[in-house]
Each structure stands twice: as structure tokens, then as C-alpha cells.
Amino acid sequence: MRHIAIIGSGPAGYYTAEACGKTFGADVRVDIVDKLPVPFGLIRTGVAPDHQSIKAVSKRYETVALTDEVRFVGNVAVGRDVSIAELLELYDAVVLATGAPSDRPLGIPGDDLPGVIGSAAFVGWYNGHPDFATLAPPLDGDHAVVVGNGNVALDVARILSKTEAEFGASDITAHALQALRGSHIRTVTILGRRGPHQIAMTPKELGELAHLERAAPFVDPAHLPPEADDAALEPGVRKSVAHLRSFAVAAARKDVAIRFAFFTMPVAIEGEGKAERMVIEHTRLDDSGRAVPTGERETIDASLIVSCIGYRTPHIEGVPYDEALGRFANEEGRIDEGLYCVGWARRGPTGTIGTNRPDGYLIAERLAQEIPADSGKAGRAGLDALMDERGVRIVTFRDWQRIEAAEVDRARAGSPREKFVTVEEMIGTLDAG
Ligand code: NAP
């Protein structure tokens, strides 16, 4: 019997568990350990609440979770309740699938002012991550700046622009919905330090902006390269750029404007005790396609600034880390003897949810070659004994299903669930019977 611990129950964790099941059959026991009492990581707390079709992939993970070989071990935090060294004593392999849930700082003066929020925090707030339940972003100004030209920037701009009715079939948290109801934001500026040809936004997500009830997207035609240059683009980017071109054609104004400001980088954030203004500088592309400042600056009002410029994997004590890349130092997923990583913790925060599937299968293949078939390690029985000794309450997948049933029960009309947003509420549901 092989004993494997996977740390993190997001897509990378579940695809790895699925791959281990396929690779080892009944000859494996996989524990998926998560610090939250609820599974699915980014699917629950990262994917936008109005993108329910993407979230549906968790049904596939549920099939994996309910096999005899795999179990969910929720409410157990590595570093707080158990160390990596202890897990390596108990399991033949420990696979870190911890994702990249920390914001990369903007790194400009004023980026620590209240009102400047990283996308992990902002997305976690509207999506029910317990770490951000009390964030309360300022929505009393009329101009929000979203920094970055990736899909997360689009998610944030869209959430700030939708009407309450448009959240009808979503599982946005009640606290976010209530705050957005009173929002005064009328312009959302999406700041890109490079141009339309360099965006990291995908066509389907960009296209959604054209169909919002009370918001309309605008692109300054002067920022668009000659149309003939689009031919050289990769097909996906070409489609995205076609959307941007359509946003540059004069459209009917709506209550909220989503403005793309290309060739613009943030330089500083100013304000008395909170963000009030942003100093921006215009850029041009150098020969290698990098954004270089032109020296032409201006100051714009902004009381909410959400930086969507990518993520980092948090450190875990004793695990080698690549500071430049913001993830664990690894060679094709191997960190050290018995210690591996997958998904964003291995390769950084890029790609879609499905990109994690081959990652999981790659690691399962490595494990088949590198870990012993019958080391006699204690595995899950050993973890249970240790958690019992430390008074840590393990939340099982069956427990999660009870939490989920309670979330479904209290959902508002049309919404799939009303999420609990604190660990106490989640565990409290189990104690309530
Ligand atoms: P991303 O796709 O890597 O985009 C990050 C953006 O931030 C880039 O436009 C980058 O510009 C910009 N940036 C980085 N540092 C900056 C700085 N210091 N100042 C100004 N701009 C800066 O990251 P993401 O949007 O966080 O998305 C992460 C991954 O999740 C991506 O693979 C994304 O496709 C995926 N995702 C998918 C969906 C979906 O499919 N619906 C939704 C959300 C996220 P440069 O290009 O100039 O570096």
C-alpha cells in the first residue's frame, strides 16, 4: 500500500488524487488535506460567482472524493496543526497543491493605503473565503481602477459593474451583494501597461462585457494597432482583439463605463490616510515588447484600486522556494525526497483549470517510479492519531456535504447556495446536527 498526502483541495489537488487512483488502483490511500473545512480551493473561492458552469467541474472532483482510496481531511492546516517533516514521516509522498493564493504587491509608493486591494483579497471577499470576510472594500467613490490585463482583471471589473439581478443565478456572498447594492462606482478603468496585442484576456471573458445590463466597455481607438497587424496574432488573441475593436466603436452609454486604458502604468497612489488618487505614466513598447515609461504623467481620482497582476505561492517552513518565480523550487514537480508539488505551486499562476490535469498525471507517473510500494508507513491512521492528540477536528467529505446542504437550504431565490463565510459558521453547522 502507498500512502500519499496531497496538501490543497483545489483543481491541482483533485486531479492529482484522480491520477493516483488511476495509476495505483486499490493499492493507494490518498489524503487531501486542506486548512479550510470546505473543499475545492480556487473553484469555490477564486472562480467568479457568476461563472457557475466553470464551478461545475467540482462534481468531477466529488466522484474522486467519494472513492475508498481518497479522503478529504479538512480543517487541518500544514504549519499550524502538522508540519511537512511530520507528514513525510507518515506518508510515502507529500504533494503540495497549495496554489498561489497570495497577491503580488504593486511595489509603488502608497500601495499599502486602505482602498488598495490585491485581487486575491478582493476575489476572496466576494467569493466567501474566510480570510477576507471582513474586507469591506470602499465602494463610496465613483471611480475604481483595476490594474492588469488578465482574466482576473475582467472578473473584478465585471463584478463591480453588474446589477443585482445579474447576480441572480450566482453564488456571490450576501455581504458582497449588499455592499455592491450601495456602490457609487460609475467608472471602472482597466489599466494595462502594454497594448491591445499584449493582453492576457481570453475572448469569451472579454465578450461578456458587451452584454452587461447597465455597463458598457470603451476602448480608445488611438490605442489600437493597425488592423492588418492582427493577422500575425495567435487565433485566441486575435479574437480578443476583435472584441476590443468592437469596444472602440461608439456605443450607447450606460450607467457604468468600463474603460480600457492601455499603455499606462501605475506610478504612485496618494491620499490622506486612504487611496484617493493614482499617479499614472504613459508607456510605449520597446523592441523586446516590454513597457517602458515615456515620462508623460497624470493624476487620476481613484478611491478603490484593485491590483490584478498575478499571484504568489505562500512559503511553507522548510520547503525550498524560488523567490523570483514566486513558487516552490522544483524540478518537474520534485522538490526533495518524498516531497513534490503540482499546479500553480509548481509552475506559477498561469493556465486554465484543465491545465492542472496533465500536471496531476505527470506527478502520479513520477510517484509510480520513485516511491516504495510497501514502506509500512502509518498513513491516514497516523495522521488521525496525531490530530486527535492535538485536539484538531478533522472535517470529512461527508461533513462537507452537510455544510453544503445547509448552504443550499439557505440560498436566495435562483442562487445555487448561500455560502458560509467564516470557519466558525461552517463548523457550527456540523455541531447544530
Ligand atoms: P495574468 O493572466 O498573468 O495577467 C496578469 C496581468 O497583470 C498582465 O496583463 C500583466 O501585464 C499585468 N501586470 C503584471 N505586473 C504588473 C505591474 N507591475 N503593473 C501593471 N501590470 C502588471 O494573471 P491573472 O489575470 O491573475 O490570471 C491568472 C490565471 O488565471 C491566468 O492563466 C488566467 O487566464 C486564469 N483565469 C482564468 C479565468 C477564466 O478562464 N474565466 C478567470 C480568471 C483567471 P504584462 O503582460 O505586461 O506582464
Side-chain angles (χ1 to χ4, degrees):
M1 182 65 69
R2 295 167 177 88
H3 299 283
I4 298 170
I6 295 173
I7 315 306
S9 67
Y14 269 105
Y15 283 124
T16 304
E18 177 189 281
C20 288
K22 293 240 163 80
T23 306
F24 300 116
D27 193 28
V28 73
R29 291 293 175 270
V30 179
D31 277 357
I32 302 185
V33 179
D34 203 298
K35 68 176 181 175
L36 291 184
V38 292
F40 306 139
L42 203 69
I43 301 295
R44 180 177 165 97
T45 61
V47 172
D50 57 342
H51 280 172
Q52 288 296 313
S53 59
I54 301 181
K55 289 189 186 242
V57 72
S58 62
K59 286 288 157 214
R60 178 185 176 134
Y61 306 154
E62 198 167 307
T63 319
V64 177
L66 292 170
T67 57
D68 289 341
E69 289 76 32
V70 177
R71 75 170 185 162
F72 174 66
V73 183
N75 199 37
V76 172
V78 172
R80 179 189 69 194
D81 302 318
V82 62
S83 68
I84 289 289
E86 287 168 331
L87 288 170
L88 286 168
E89 287 287 311
L90 295 172
Y91 294 86
D92 298 310
V94 175
V95 183
L96 303 175
T98 47
S102 302
D103 281 308
R104 281 187 52 221
L106 269 173
I108 57 174
D111 67 359
D112 55 349
L113 282 170
V116 185
I117 299 173
S119 54
F122 193 74
V123 170
W125 168 72
Y126 62 63
N127 244 337
H129 194 300
D131 289 355
F132 307 109
T134 59
L135 186 76
L139 301 173
D140 52 342
D142 68 357
H143 185 205
V145 174
V146 176
V147 184
N149 269 181
N151 280 330
V152 172
L154 282 181
D155 281 347
V156 169
R158 194 178 68 253
I159 297 295
L160 284 171
S161 307
K162 277 195 160 181
T163 60
E164 183 159 358
E166 286 176 295
F167 287 116
S170 80
D171 65 350
I172 191 167
T173 56
H175 64 218
L177 198 56
Q178 195 190 350
L180 289 166
R181 197 179 289 142
S183 170
H184 288 240
I185 291 170
R186 292 297 171 265
T187 304
V188 179
T189 298
I190 302 180
L191 220 64
R193 62 181 172 181
R194 298 193 292 157
H197 276 192
Q198 288 75 37
I199 54 169
M201 298 160 168
T202 46
K204 182 172 164 290
E205 284 65 28
L206 256 178
E208 277 180 77
L209 295 189
H211 304 287
L212 298 177
E213 246 173 57
R214 63 158 190 170
F218 295 96
V219 166
D220 180 348
H223 285 154
L224 290 165
E227 202 160 345
D229 293 0
D230 293 1
L233 295 172
E234 181 269 314
V237 184
R238 201 183 313 141
K239 275 193 198 156
S240 292
V241 173
H243 283 300
L244 294 177
R245 291 195 184 281
S246 72
F247 301 163
V249 178
R253 290 194 179 275
K254 295 189 181 177
D255 286 354
V256 177
I258 301 175
R259 296 197 172 278
F260 286 80
F262 291 109
F263 302 109
T264 306
M265 60 188 261
V267 174
I269 296 154
E270 301 173 342
E272 293 306 312
K274 59 179 183 165
E276 289 170 341
R277 296 172 299 280
M278 183 185 253
V279 182
I280 54 174
E281 182 159 348
H282 297 286
T283 63
R284 60 173 179 80
L285 295 185
D286 68 8
D287 290 345
S288 62
R290 287 165 53 102
V292 288
T294 58
E296 189 193 336
R297 290 189 174 188
E298 57 182 295
T299 301
I300 55 174
D301 287 342
S303 46
L304 171 66
I305 292 156
V306 187
S307 70
C308 308
I309 60 166
Y311 301 114
R312 290 171 69 82
T313 295
H315 288 255
I316 296 181
E317 203 185 328
V319 180
Y321 194 85
D322 187 325
E323 289 296 340
L325 296 175
R327 49 137 172 98
F328 298 121
N330 74 91
E331 212 179 288
E332 301 261 321
R334 186 182 186 277
I335 300 174
D336 214 335
E337 193 171 340
L339 187 59
Y340 299 84
C341 55
V342 282
W344 283 7
R346 172 175 88 83
R347 61 188 157 75
T350 57
T352 63
I353 287 159
T355 316
N356 293 298
R357 193 166 179 270
D359 258 30
Y361 280 78
L362 183 96
I363 284 299
E365 251 173 57
R366 277 202 88 142
L367 295 181
Q369 286 162 19
E370 295 177 12
I371 68 171
D374 210 355
S375 65
K377 288 200 176 186
R380 47 176 75 162
L383 182 67
D384 288 355
L386 193 63
M387 293 303 94
D388 200 35
E389 197 182 301
R390 292 182 181 165
V392 177
R393 176 180 189 159
I394 290 179
V395 172
T396 66
F397 202 81
R398 295 280 176 211
D399 290 336
W400 147 246
Q401 288 180 313
R402 287 169 57 206
I403 297 172
E404 185 179 35
E407 290 187 337
V408 172
D409 269 357
R410 65 192 211 127
R412 62 183 183 278
S415 161
R417 73 183 70 226
E418 182 58 66
K419 283 174 177 167
F420 294 114
V421 296
T422 67
V423 169
E424 292 70 28
E425 281 178 320
M426 294 165 186
I427 304 265
T429 308
L430 300 176
D431 292 335

